[in-house]
Amino acid sequence: MAKKNRRKQENLPEGMSRRQAKLAARAAEREALQKDPRPFEGLAAEAELVALQEFVPSATAQVTVKDTPVQLVTVLPGAVAAMVREGGERLVALQVAAHSQNPGRDLAYALNWVLSAKEGEQLQSTAADGQQPALKDIFPADAALDVTSYDDFSWWFPEDAQIPPQIQQAMAAANDAVIPSVEVKADAPGAVWWVNPGGGKAHIRWVRTEDNENQMLSALARIAARGELNLGEGTKFAGAFRTHGVVVPVWDLDPAVEPESYADALVALNKAIEAEYANDAQLSADERKQLDNIKSRQVTI
């Protein structure tokens, strides 16, 4: 009798046997574990989203989602996924404590949640549950993000807010960990960020969104073979890393030089990159050597 009662209490999808339900659940689990190769593809804000999620420490950018203003941010207090402040301001974080392997689906889930959340509510995890819309159906494809970066996390709370002591301690620790980061505005595609982690070198990280990674690396190799893969005197190409399906070239810099001073060099280098990206000729021996060198130092994050 007990077995019959358990069978009656099972919540099986209509028309499915127990075995079919288990197979469907396993298939859903496998799909959830699959990593999107390029989660922000097709969005005008792809490069900025990659930068905000992967290496910018403290920044905000507003986007309008279904006629509702939402603040996209790097990190929220407690590394929560999203929250609604008193007054109705809606915030969604890209760097969170609990998440899945699918950043695009996670962002769609958090955005969908925050649209209907009430003041004071927080979302702890962005792990998508399969019920959220696709990111392309909720995030405006043509939205360009105007990012504001900060040296600390003072923007977490209004100026007159009463912050509990334990939160003050957490914010102080977070402030101490902030790496100075500035977006370099240049007439060039992608997202360019100057960062200074200390140790005598600053860096420029340039998030590129070309479709073909091999073509991009070959373009860099051709320019390197000519000795021109730099951003001016005192700069050195350090390598490239890949993340979220895009390539991010990196240069070592003198930290005393102002970030904005690299704008013209970035424009000039971009012209060379675009020309070589379109070059389908075979690489020379020297160019192949440069390509091998770039690939040997490339990492994926």
Side-chain angles (χ1 to χ4, degrees), residues 63 78 92 99 152 162 198 225 248 255 271:
V63 64
V92 170
H99 56 85
D152 56 28
Q162 297 296 317
V248 185
K271 290 181 181 178

Side-chain angles (χ1 to χ4, degrees), residues 148-199:
T148 302
S149 57
Y150 302 88
D151 295 330
D152 56 28
F153 290 97
S154 58
W155 55 267
W156 273 356
F157 302 96
E159 291 184 5
D160 57 349
Q162 297 296 317
I163 306 174
Q166 65 271 26
I167 300 297
Q168 291 182 19
Q169 292 176 359
M171 188 163 69
N175 289 343
D176 290 341
V178 170
I179 295 174
S181 303
V182 177
E183 186 173 21
V184 181
K185 301 295 185 181
D187 187 13
V192 183
W193 283 85
W194 176 96
V195 299
N196 184 10

Side-chain angles (χ1 to χ4, degrees), residues 245-297:
V246 299
V247 176
V248 185
V250 180
W251 286 265
D252 291 339
L253 317 164
D254 181 349
V257 178
E258 290 296 320
E260 295 79 7
S261 67
Y262 295 105
D264 290 343
L266 287 161
V267 172
L269 183 55
N270 180 63
K271 290 181 181 178
I273 290 175
E274 290 183 344
E276 296 300 350
Y277 184 81
N279 185 352
D280 59 1
Q282 288 189 348
L283 297 178
S284 67
D286 192 22
E287 290 167 346
R288 286 196 299 273
K289 181 178 179 181
Q290 293 292 339
L291 179 60
D292 290 341
N293 184 43
I294 292 172
K295 286 184 174 180
S296 70
R297 292 181 292 159

